[in-house]
Amino acid sequence: MPDVILPVLDEAEAIPRVLESMPEGFHAIVVDNGSTDGSGDMAAGMGAEVVTEPRRGFGSACHAGLFAAGDDVICFMDCDGSLDPGHLPRLVAAHSAGADLVIGERMPEPGAWPVHARIANRVLALELRRRTGLRLRDLGPMRVMGRQALLGLGMLDRRSGWPLEMVLRAAASGWRIESLPVPLEGRSGKSKVTGTMKGTLGAIADMSRQLRQIDPG
């Protein structure tokens, strides 16, 4: 039963929609990263496993979920309602077919992705290609990989640099990385990262620190 790690910070509005859409046979692990709107209690009331991680940061939440997971196959995705967990079986199938890391490439509906965030994501993908040769167009948060393999990468970032660090370390370790398109819908509430220019700039700073560790050759 694949574990689905869902980092959460004040997502009570979206949690019912996400958990009700969870595919049969997938186990939801909600990591409450300091919510004040009852997100953790709501998720627990709907049958999800809830982990509390008081240290703020996307990477901190993902790290806590990783250690709470027990299945050989783990999934990560946002819990803001912008991504449908119903697409996870396709990514798991690609992983089972030989991909070490499968990333859901976001295909946004009109208005679902702020322009500044889309531009930042595109620039980051181009820079990643220049430095590593990886031809990814999106570093989306919906991902599937092996649990032990991810533990072996020795992830260190505990902020917004976690998604990029995963790809960089996976590439350096010779992982086969694939992407599959997944629809991106309008999220519930405002994103703590891409919903504001300040949040986006903070994420760019975190990811820039990861890129600076690579020699572009």
Side-chain angles (χ1 to χ4, degrees), residues 95-129:
H95 172 68
S96 298
D100 298 300
L101 170 60
V102 187
I103 300 175
E105 180 183 341
R106 292 168 288 185
M107 300 295 172
E109 295 181 349
W113 205 354
V115 174
H116 63 269
R118 191 181 307 194
I119 292 173
N121 181 75
R122 182 60 175 164
V123 170
L124 181 62
L126 290 172
E127 186 66 13
L128 182 66
R129 180 181 301 182

Side-chain angles (χ1 to χ4, degrees), residues 73 90-103 144-146 149 175-180:
V73 178
R90 290 195 297 118
L91 275 66
V92 170
H95 172 68
S96 298
D100 298 300
L101 170 60
V102 187
I103 300 175
V144 175
M145 74 290 297
W175 284 25
R176 177 180 165 186
I177 303 174
E178 296 184 1
S179 63
L180 293 175

Side-chain angles (χ1 to χ4, degrees), residues 186-200:
R187 58 158 289 139
S188 297
K190 178 178 285 189
S191 170
K192 272 67 75 176
V193 177
T194 61
T196 66
M197 184 63 72
K198 180 180 178 181
T200 299

Side-chain angles (χ1 to χ4, degrees), residues 159-177:
R159 291 166 52 89
S160 299
W162 165 281
L164 177 58
E165 183 189 13
M166 181 192 295
V167 175
L168 292 173
R169 288 180 177 268
S173 298
W175 284 25
R176 177 180 165 186
I177 303 174

Side-chain angles (χ1 to χ4, degrees), residues 135-154:
R135 295 185 172 275
L136 296 175
R137 293 185 293 183
D138 181 28
L139 296 175
M142 180 180 278
R143 302 181 176 195
V144 175
M145 74 290 297
R147 181 177 182 273
Q148 289 301 322
L150 181 56
L151 285 170
L153 290 184

Side-chain angles (χ1 to χ4, degrees), residues 14-28:
I15 283 173
R17 174 182 173 187
V18 173
L19 294 183
E20 289 169 359
S21 301
M22 195 63 59
E24 184 177 356
F26 285 68
H27 175 233

